[in-house]
Amino acid sequence: MFAVHLMAFYFTKLKEDQIKTVDRFLYHMRLSNETLLDIMARFQAEMQKGLGKDTNPTASVKMLPTFVRAIPDGSENGEFLSLDLGGSKFRVLKVQVSEEGKQNVQMESQYYPTPNEIIRGPGSELFEYVADCLADFMKSKGLMHKKLPLGLTFSFPCTQTKLEEGVLLSWTKKFKARGVQDTDVVSSLTKAIKKHTDIDVDILALVNDTVGTMMTCAYDDPHCEVGVILGTGTNACYMEDMSNIDLVEGDEGRMCINTEWGAFGDDGALEDIRTEFDRDLDLGSLNPGKQLFEKMISGLYLGELVRLILLKMARAGLLFGGKRSSSLHTKGKIETRHVAAMEKYKEGLANTREILTDLGLEPSEADCIAVQHVCTIVSFRSANLCAAALAAILTRLRENKKLARLRTTVGVDGTLYKIHPQYPKRLHKVVRRLVPNCDVRFLLSESGSTKGAAMVTAVASRVQAQRKQIDRVLALFRLTREQLVGVRDKMRVELEYGLKKDTHPLATVKMLPTYVCGMPDGTEKGKFLALDLGGTNFRVLLVKIRSGRRSVRMYNKIFAIPLEIMQGTGEELFDHIVQCIADFLDYMGLKGAQLPLGFTFSFPCRQTSIDKGALVEWTKGFKATDCEGEDVVDMLREAIKRRNEFDLDIVAVVNDTVGTMMTCAYEDPNCEIGLIAGTGSNMCYMEEMRNIELVEGDQGKMCINTEWGGFGDNGCIDDIRTQYDKEVDEGSLNPGKQRYEKMTSGMYLGEIVRQILIDLTKQGLLFRGQISERLRTRGIFETKFLSQIESDRLALLQVRGILQQLGLDSTCEDSIVVKEVCGAVSRRAAQLCGAGMAAIVEKRRQDQGLEHLRITVGVDGTLYKLHPHFSSILQETVKELAPQCDVTFMLSEDGSGKGAALITAVAKRLQQAQKEN
């Protein structure tokens, strides 16, 4: 018993001594946590360098764009072909994806040899041979005369400018076919395939094996967005935000980047990490000074590193009693499969003895323990280095998504990862230690790169088909120049109808006279009160106008109008308004002052003079009784009388559009048009009195409130209305009314977008086909979201954030489509508005008999002010459709308050002049 214990003690002591000896000898190969974090930071800097346009040429990590923009979403289906060219044999594969809604993949494949005379002869013969093998495979599988998409896995370095193109940078491995370098391999293969008239194949994708691995795993796990190869060579790819890829046009969405990380350190960035053994190995390699990171990690080199270490230790007398065999001196005699066998958990020592004996050595027990530990250190360093670079990629993904914690999957393939007994466990452990804020799942790729090429092709054909369907919908909102000219001309006809006595009752554009006959001339002065009623808030303003310097000062107070008053009796509403005026006069110390007053009343009114306006109908949630058909100025005067505290001189009742025009005209005498592009849409302009048949007199001008929102209510623009416009109209409070407004104003654009999103989701083109409860809710998609989503500064991540607020769980691709839909709807709105405006300015030019008109448009409204592109598209459209008019657009400051005061001031001035006459 004692002898057994003694033996065990001796063996443990021996093991400890040998391990210490090796540890001392290979001290530089042991990497601390601090060193790994440092390498991780260096790799992050290299990635950044590779992504930058200016820094890429000198970057060692090339970060090649692959033009793979989407990962599988599970809806892929159909038959696909795949070719894998890059090794001693090449493989043709038929992949059947997802039949009858079940997510599964069935594969049939065949290997073909790649004879030396083919891979080293003329390039044309290589591609003809590949095409012949493909034709043979299709014949044997009964696929002749069937059009099939194909994906090509081509494991040689290529530059790509699109998914279905790849220019060969250089052959590697044993390939040396002539005349292929610097040419597009896809077009060469397509040319060769075309010679076979009995097969019909469309090459949709050229893929690198790393990307194939990521795509294969992503089909099984949608969280997979990183691919890693740990085999003969090593590489990684991941999904990067387009906005960070300077080498490719466009900022929307994501694209898979093939890092080519094997070259990390080729610029000297890892010199302090490399050991003498790494330098010896590199000098003896086929490509000295290149792929230095790969030479510390991958299966092609680990066995050779172990051999160089053992040779040096034997020379130093630390192994095999100082003896060396000729095999130990021979390059390539120890392979990575030997390293894996020596590190096996139980039979490792026995395997070590056998391998060393085969090398012509006579190892002792102590030698076997030492050699096994050398293997552990070399392969552990490989896993550590790989983990540091992978941790850098995972950190970048997390930061791109602005997450505190990332959940993701890494797809892995390669013999080193598959056959080495300890490698996966070590790699996983170190990665998790370096990025504790990432929950990482590692997924082994099944039949990796070839199936991956088929998956890339399946995704490409799904995206292609979906793109066609989405484009069909968006095309409905793209207006041609002819269509816009048609809108302009029809608007012109409707304007004329509204002005004429006979046609006015049937006109959709009502052309209401406002009795505002003069514009500010700068002589206006005095104190004026202005009231602004148009929503749930009511404003009272004191406006002080000083002549000469054209200065206006305003003081105002906002009062709420409770729902019970909005929907009570007319008497209660106007008593409440007078109460608010009394409070304001008190507040300003103006009790007893008799001031002229302008009343901005933003509801449709029929006016018979500037201070008389009969309410046509309430809108915006007001329902006060006994008001419709009554003169609102009389109702206000009655309420003032009832209060019997003060007297006011009500001079004018005005619409907010007219107020906007007047405010801008005060600054710019050229302003003769007012435009509101906000919740609603309307326009007013100064018309020649001789053209207004509804009002007596031919002299001078009068402002016409067009109420153009009703344009098209007679069906004249039905040719450009879509099914979505019709759905919005049918669901509105006033079906069949205000059709033009419903295509151009802020109140409805979000609702049009919602209808389109529902339709695209029903077609399975958005949100994985799931219509959320929120998306079913009318009015949920407010127009302010359009403005936010279309902002050029907004990354897709923020678009996803907005959609999440709406309860829509969107992918990156969904966000791109939503942004496109918003853009199409708002662009059409701005163009339609511009076409209507072109009709007005052209009318003004012709009425004045001018060759060229210069005019200013005063504009107000949140859509015009806040939407990032609406104003510029509107202006471009006017320029294009009214080329003989030079139109300036001027933003109005507080049209409804200041404008009402100015109209009052002008009316007082005109009244005074009349008296004097």
Side-chain angles (χ1 to χ4, degrees):
M1 191 67 192
F2 175 70
V4 172
H5 281 300
L6 193 65
M7 195 65 196
F9 172 74
Y10 163 75
F11 191 73
T12 306
K13 187 86 179 74
L14 174 75
K15 195 167 183 178
E16 280 173 8
D17 289 348
Q18 285 305 97
I19 285 173
K20 277 177 187 163
T21 305
V22 172
D23 280 346
R24 274 195 301 275
F25 193 75
L26 296 180
Y27 171 75
H28 283 300
M29 281 193 160
R30 308 296 296 258
L31 303 174
S32 68
N33 221 40
E34 288 70 30
T35 306
L36 292 177
L37 287 167
D38 183 36
I39 293 168
M40 180 177 153
R42 290 183 217 181
F43 189 69
Q44 277 177 297
E46 281 300 316
M47 288 167 79
Q48 194 57 46
K49 210 171 156 187
L51 288 170
K53 203 171 199 164
D54 302 334
T55 46
N56 175 275
T58 58
S60 58
V61 179
K62 279 298 175 203
M63 305 294 278
L64 303 173
T66 65
F67 294 84
V68 171
R69 290 168 182 261
I71 56 174
D73 68 359
S75 69
E76 293 75 16
N77 61 38
E79 277 184 314
F80 305 92
L81 291 170
S82 182
L83 291 178
D84 189 356
L85 186 65
S88 52
K89 289 187 249 180
F90 99 90
R91 187 179 179 200
V92 185
L93 191 76
K94 184 197 103 170
V95 181
Q96 173 75 49
V97 183
S98 258
E99 262 190 315
E100 292 151 18
K102 291 191 189 77
Q103 194 174 325
N104 63 3
V105 176
Q106 289 168 343
M107 298 189 291
E108 297 175 62
S109 70
Q110 197 168 323
Y111 284 96
Y112 291 89
T114 46
N116 273 344
E117 63 273 17
I118 291 288
I119 64 175
R120 292 182 179 180
S124 56
E125 287 182 17
L126 168 67
F127 290 112
E128 278 163 19
Y129 174 73
V130 171
D132 292 345
C133 296
L134 176 65
D136 173 72
F137 177 81
M138 290 178 77
K139 201 177 233 168
S140 69
K141 302 292 174 197
L143 299 172
M144 314 298 276
H145 310 294
K146 199 174 191 182
K147 188 173 175 68
L148 289 172
L150 179 139
L152 170 63
T153 303
F154 191 73
S155 305
F156 303 95
C158 283
T159 53
Q160 289 184 264
T161 54
K162 47 187 185 214
L163 183 60
E164 68 282 13
E165 175 193 276
V167 174
L168 177 69
L169 293 175
S170 61
W171 286 116
T172 56
K173 302 162 202 170
K174 294 175 184 168
F175 280 69
K176 284 261 167 51
R178 296 189 297 279
V180 183
Q181 205 167 322
D182 297 324
T183 66
D184 174 18
V185 294
V186 174
S187 61
S188 304
L189 181 57
T190 303
K191 202 165 142 192
I193 290 170
K194 285 216 164 107
K195 292 184 179 173
H196 292 268
T197 51
D198 48 355
I199 64 172
D200 190 0
V201 169
D202 190 8
I203 304 177
L204 287 191
L206 173 83
V207 216
N208 166 289
D209 53 351
T210 321
V211 181
T213 297
M214 180 187 79
M215 293 299 267
T216 301
C217 294
Y219 185 69
D220 298 320
D221 179 347
H223 286 106
C224 181
E225 47 192 348
V226 183
V228 175
I229 296 277
L230 282 163
T232 316
T234 182
N235 195 10
C237 68
Y238 73 102
M239 295 302 286
E240 176 61 87
D241 287 1
M242 281 287 288
S243 54
N244 296 330
I245 309 171
D246 284 357
L247 305 167
V248 179
E249 287 294 306
D251 282 346
E252 306 294 10
R254 301 200 301 167
M255 182 182 285
C256 179
I257 289 288
N258 165 20
T259 64
E260 288 292 344
W261 78 6
F264 176 38
D266 287 6
D267 58 355
L270 295 174
E271 281 316 294
D272 55 330
I273 307 295
R274 292 174 75 227
T275 64
E276 58 183 297
F277 309 110
D278 297 308
R279 292 188 176 91
D280 289 348
L281 180 141
D282 178 45
L283 287 172
S285 70
L286 290 169
N287 54 349
K290 297 272 189 334
Q291 300 293 98
L292 298 182
F293 191 58
E294 181 169 75
K295 284 170 185 166
M296 296 158 84
I297 289 180
S298 81
L300 191 62
Y301 304 103
L302 293 190
E304 185 59 12
L305 270 177
V306 168
R307 185 189 72 81
L308 291 169
I309 294 165
L310 300 188
L311 186 59
K312 183 153 188 193
M313 287 181 78
R315 277 187 184 136
L318 297 171
L319 281 178
F320 319 126
K323 293 188 180 121
R324 302 170 315 268
S325 64
S326 64
S327 287
L328 191 60
H329 278 280
T330 309
K331 184 179 164 189
K333 275 291 180 183
I334 299 180
E335 295 171 25
T336 298
R337 64 189 172 92
H338 297 133
V339 176
M342 289 191 268
E343 282 194 74
K344 277 208 167 142
Y345 178 55
K346 280 186 178 157
E347 58 264 46
L349 273 178
N351 290 343
T352 306
R353 182 177 293 280
E354 193 182 317
I355 289 161
L356 293 174
T357 308
D358 287 347
L359 289 172
L361 298 161
E362 292 173 11
S364 65
E365 193 67 46
D367 290 336
C368 291
I369 290 166
V371 170
Q372 191 180 38
H373 194 53
V374 167
C375 292
T376 299
I377 287 175
V378 169
S379 63
F380 215 125
R381 183 186 70 154
S382 162
N384 273 335
L385 288 169
C386 180
L390 181 54
I393 290 177
L394 294 170
T395 301
R396 188 169 177 90
L397 277 175
R398 186 180 62 76
E399 287 171 354
N400 281 350
K401 295 182 180 191
K402 296 183 173 55
L403 295 172
R405 194 163 193 86
L406 173 75
R407 179 187 170 202
T408 193
T409 298
V410 176
V412 196
D413 200 0
T415 45
L416 177 60
Y417 187 86
K418 283 177 175 173
I419 67 162
H420 192 292
Q422 317 294 335
Y423 202 97
K425 195 165 65 204
R426 289 172 186 164
L427 175 71
H428 304 171
K429 194 174 175 182
V430 181
V431 168
R432 288 176 182 135
R433 194 172 73 230
L434 293 176
V435 279
N437 45 5
C438 297
D439 299 320
V440 191
R441 178 186 181 213
F442 289 85
L443 188 59
L444 185 63
S445 161
E446 301 293 329
S447 63
S449 52
T450 325
K451 177 181 167 186
M455 287 322 310
V456 173
T457 311
V459 170
S461 76
R462 162 177 69 80
V463 168
Q464 217 176 56
Q466 288 178 343
R467 191 66 255 175
K468 276 183 189 158
Q469 285 173 277
I470 290 163
D471 283 344
R472 263 201 299 275
V473 170
L474 296 181
L476 301 171
F477 290 85
R478 290 194 191 105
L479 300 176
T480 62
R481 191 176 190 283
E482 289 69 36
Q483 285 173 314
L484 288 169
V485 167
V487 171
R488 179 197 68 189
D489 296 347
K490 286 170 188 170
M491 176 67 88
R492 177 68 189 269
V493 169
E494 289 296 315
L495 296 175
E496 302 291 358
Y497 269 14
L499 287 171
K500 295 200 170 14
K501 214 170 196 166
D502 301 344
T503 48
H504 177 83
L506 297 172
T508 57
V509 180
K510 281 299 174 204
M511 306 295 279
L512 303 173
T514 64
Y515 295 86
V516 170
C517 296
M519 303 297 262
D521 65 2
T523 62
E524 295 77 18
K525 61 177 190 290
K527 289 180 186 174
F528 302 89
L529 272 184
L531 310 181
D532 180 10
L533 181 68
T536 50
N537 287 334
F538 168 64
R539 274 194 318 159
V540 186
L541 303 94
L542 173 68
V543 183
K544 292 181 180 175
I545 304 174
R546 288 169 68 184
S547 66
R549 285 175 36 218
R550 284 188 182 245
S551 89
V552 177
R553 293 184 72 180
M554 295 193 291
Y555 309 88
N556 74 75
K557 205 164 182 207
I558 295 173
F559 300 90
I561 298 193
L563 192 65
E564 64 272 16
I565 290 200
M566 282 167 69
Q567 301 184 353
T569 66
E571 206 166 277
E572 286 168 344
L573 173 63
F574 282 93
D575 283 349
H576 179 73
I577 288 171
V578 172
Q579 173 67 56
C580 297
I581 297 170
D583 289 352
F584 179 75
L585 293 174
D586 252 0
Y587 170 73
M588 295 298 295
L590 290 169
K591 234 1 179 337
Q594 198 181 7
L595 296 172
L597 179 142
F599 187 8
T600 301
F601 188 75
S602 302
F603 301 92
C605 276
R606 199 167 294 283
Q607 286 185 254
T608 50
S609 70
I610 195 160
D611 64 347
K612 286 203 174 306
L615 174 65
V616 177
E617 61 179 339
W618 282 120
T619 56
K620 306 176 204 174
F622 277 74
K623 286 208 180 109
T625 57
D626 309 320
C627 293
E628 289 180 2
E630 298 297 323
D631 182 350
V632 294
V633 177
D634 283 348
M635 292 178 84
L636 181 58
R637 283 188 180 128
E638 290 297 321
I640 292 171
K641 258 190 211 158
R642 277 198 297 277
R643 182 144 187 122
N644 199 20
E645 265 182 37
F646 50 82
D647 198 13
L648 296 171
D649 175 13
I650 304 169
V651 176
V653 60
V654 290
N655 169 288
D656 54 351
T657 321
V658 185
T660 295
M661 179 186 77
M662 289 301 260
T663 304
C664 294
Y666 188 64
E667 308 289 333
D668 177 351
N670 248 342
C671 181
E672 290 200 347
I673 300 176
L675 170 68
I676 296 279
T679 313
S681 177
N682 195 13
M683 201 270 310
C684 71
Y685 72 104
M686 295 304 286
E687 177 61 272
E688 308 296 328
M689 280 291 286
R690 64 175 186 272
N691 294 334
I692 310 170
E693 294 185 4
L694 303 169
V695 179
E696 293 295 312
D698 281 350
Q699 295 307 306
K701 296 177 191 171
M702 181 185 285
C703 178
I704 291 289
N705 166 20
T706 63
E707 288 292 344
W708 78 0
F711 173 50
D713 289 0
N714 57 0
C716 70
I717 53 170
D718 278 2
D719 58 320
I720 59 167
R721 286 175 79 230
T722 66
Q723 70 192 74
Y724 310 106
D725 295 306
K726 288 167 189 161
E727 278 160 5
V728 169
D729 180 41
E730 282 159 20
S732 70
L733 292 169
N734 53 350
K737 299 262 172 45
Q738 300 295 95
R739 289 182 179 178
Y740 181 66
E741 181 169 74
K742 284 170 187 166
M743 295 163 85
T744 56
S745 82
M747 190 163 176
Y748 300 101
L749 298 190
E751 190 55 18
I752 297 172
V753 168
R754 188 182 72 87
Q755 292 293 348
I756 298 170
L757 299 187
I758 287 175
D759 186 40
L760 293 178
T761 309
K762 278 181 186 165
Q763 292 181 51
L765 303 172
L766 273 183
F767 311 132
R768 301 179 185 84
Q770 305 293 312
I771 302 178
S772 69
E773 262 326 296
R774 291 291 295 270
L775 191 56
R776 292 180 201 276
T777 312
R778 187 177 304 287
I780 191 74
F781 208 97
E782 294 169 47
T783 299
K784 69 171 181 184
F785 293 132
L786 263 79
S787 298
Q788 289 169 5
I789 285 169
E790 287 186 70
S791 165
D792 296 327
R793 294 190 306 278
L794 207 63
L796 277 180
L797 205 68
Q798 291 155 296
V799 174
R800 285 178 79 176
I802 292 168
L803 294 173
Q804 265 159 359
Q805 286 173 33
L806 296 172
L808 304 172
D809 183 20
S810 70
T811 63
C812 195
E813 289 72 43
D814 290 340
S815 305
I816 294 172
V817 174
V818 171
K819 197 166 181 175
E820 283 184 84
V821 169
C822 291
V825 170
S826 63
R827 183 177 182 80
R828 184 191 67 163
Q831 286 178 319
L832 286 173
C833 225
M837 181 57 72
I840 301 278
V841 293
E842 266 300 299
K843 174 173 169 40
R844 292 301 297 130
R845 184 183 68 77
Q846 288 169 15
D847 283 352
Q848 292 171 60
L850 296 172
E851 184 63 34
H852 201 87
L853 172 74
R854 290 191 64 172
I855 196 163
T856 298
V857 177
V859 198
D860 203 353
T862 46
L863 187 58
Y864 188 92
K865 284 179 173 174
L866 302 180
H867 190 281
H869 310 299
F870 188 92
S871 57
S872 56
I873 296 166
L874 167 65
Q875 290 171 32
E876 274 165 34
T877 310
V878 174
K879 207 175 200 168
E880 197 182 328
L881 299 183
Q884 288 164 275
C885 301
D886 182 2
V887 185
T888 304
F889 287 82
M890 182 179 184
L891 268 181
S892 155
E893 307 245 344
D894 193 23
S896 49
K898 184 173 164 183
L902 283 165
I903 291 168
T904 307
V906 172
K908 284 304 272 183
R909 174 169 60 77
L910 294 175
Q911 275 173 16
Q912 196 61 35
Q914 247 173 344
K915 267 184 197 166
E916 286 167 11
N917 284 340

